[in-house]
Amino acid sequence: MRRRKTAITLCLFLGWAGVHRLYLGRPTSWLIYLLTLGLFGIGWLIDLIALFCGGFAESFIHYTPRLSGLSIDEIGALSPAQFERFVGKAFAALGHEVELRGKPGDGGVDLIVRRDGETAVVQCKRYQGTVSPAVLRDLYGTMQHLGADKGYLVTTGRLSSKAIRWVAGKPITVIGRESIHYWLRHADHAMKESGVQVPLYDTIDEPRWKFFGVLILTAFLLILSVFLLLIPYSFIAGKVEFFLFPTPIAWPDNAE
């Protein structure tokens, strides 16, 4: 599975040789970059900017043959963004139109899913322990605020006894630790029946500006260090002439 961070790192340091294009599964353009020093440096720069801005998206799509192939521990080890996309893929396999919302300011809504004229709010929670009633109350309040028909809580944890009593009779479906694999197998079956593979973008590879800021600073310091090391070497080798010691100009003797 390709990583955007890896691609940007390869492009930053080895883009002149097109190594990032080979990593992205583009051997023909890699060979062209290798023979032209990254299309004379211009293509290298364009690719780096494109990777920073979310380009080459099709190279970061992967297909999971079986959603239920992951164990509960592997699901729990996903990052929050990965878990949201994973759950979104399962809903898409089940025939829902999926809108990813898990961003600041979205009121705790991770996904909006639609099917058969109904709109549902989805919250994704990676919990090791129990889920309290407060989580369900937040979800219910979000449903009412958005006018959703129903809600889903998809979690790797278990509902507490108080949460079970609180959610009873409300239009909220809880897909918890005991039922998540049954739900994923149902999604796998639906995907197999339709014959359509649902692509999943790997969100861990979306640009993180802090990470890339450090990466660019490291590259700059590395280049500066090499440059500072070359100056004394070149001076000792007699290849650099400083303006303080210009080479004497040999004037021709005037003919008498």
Side-chain angles (χ1 to χ4, degrees), residues 118-184:
E118 288 190 341
T119 300
V121 174
V122 182
Q123 281 194 346
C124 308
K125 299 293 183 184
R126 296 176 308 114
Y127 282 176
Q128 296 296 328
T130 57
V131 179
S132 68
V135 175
L136 294 165
R137 280 196 292 266
D138 290 342
L139 174 57
Y140 192 60
T142 302
M143 288 169 51
Q144 292 179 321
H145 176 70
L146 296 178
D149 299 294
K150 60 190 305 185
Y152 289 94
L153 174 66
V154 184
T155 178
T156 54
R158 298 180 175 88
L159 292 187
S160 66
S161 57
K162 291 182 179 179
I164 293 174
R165 289 194 297 271
W166 189 91
V167 79
K170 294 181 176 63
I172 296 177
T173 300
V174 178
I175 302 169
R177 191 176 188 89
E178 292 81 6
S179 58
I180 191 168
H181 269 103
Y182 174 80
W183 180 65
L184 292 174

Side-chain angles (χ1 to χ4, degrees), residues 241 243 245-253:
E241 297 178 354
F243 69 92
F245 305 99
T247 303
I249 299 174
W251 298 97
D253 295 333

Side-chain angles (χ1 to χ4, degrees), residues 33-209:
Y33 269 52
L34 182 63
L35 296 176
T36 61
L37 295 180
L39 288 182
F40 312 107
I42 299 175
W44 178 10
L45 179 61
I46 292 174
D47 284 359
L48 185 61
I49 295 173
L51 284 167
F52 264 97
C53 297
F56 297 95
E58 68 281 1
S59 297
F60 299 103
I61 300 175
H62 68 275
Y63 294 91
T64 307
R66 291 178 60 247
L67 292 169
S68 57
L70 292 180
S71 68
I72 191 66
D73 292 331
E74 289 173 322
I75 295 173
L78 297 174
S79 70
Q82 283 180 311
F83 184 55
E84 291 165 13
R85 296 294 178 106
F86 181 77
V87 171
K89 180 173 182 178
F91 274 106
L94 290 167
H96 291 81
E97 178 188 341
V98 179
E99 177 186 348
L100 183 65
R101 295 285 299 273
K103 297 179 181 179
D106 282 333
V109 180
D110 295 321
L111 304 170
I112 299 289
V113 297
R114 300 177 179 88
R115 190 178 69 174
D116 299 332
E118 288 190 341
T119 300
V121 174
V122 182
Q123 281 194 346
C124 308
K125 299 293 183 184
R126 296 176 308 114
Y127 282 176
Q128 296 296 328
T130 57
V131 179
S132 68
V135 175
L136 294 165
R137 280 196 292 266
D138 290 342
L139 174 57
Y140 192 60
T142 302
M143 288 169 51
Q144 292 179 321
H145 176 70
L146 296 178
D149 299 294
K150 60 190 305 185
Y152 289 94
L153 174 66
V154 184
T155 178
T156 54
R158 298 180 175 88
L159 292 187
S160 66
S161 57
K162 291 182 179 179
I164 293 174
R165 289 194 297 271
W166 189 91
V167 79
K170 294 181 176 63
I172 296 177
T173 300
V174 178
I175 302 169
R177 191 176 188 89
E178 292 81 6
S179 58
I180 191 168
H181 269 103
Y182 174 80
W183 180 65
L184 292 174
R185 284 194 296 270
H186 185 41
D188 284 336
H189 179 72
M191 219 171 0
K192 183 178 179 181
E193 288 293 313
S194 66
V196 177
Q197 286 284 321
V198 181
L200 176 66
Y201 287 85
D202 188 6
T203 56
I204 198 173
D205 297 317
E206 292 179 352
R208 304 294 196 273
W209 296 113

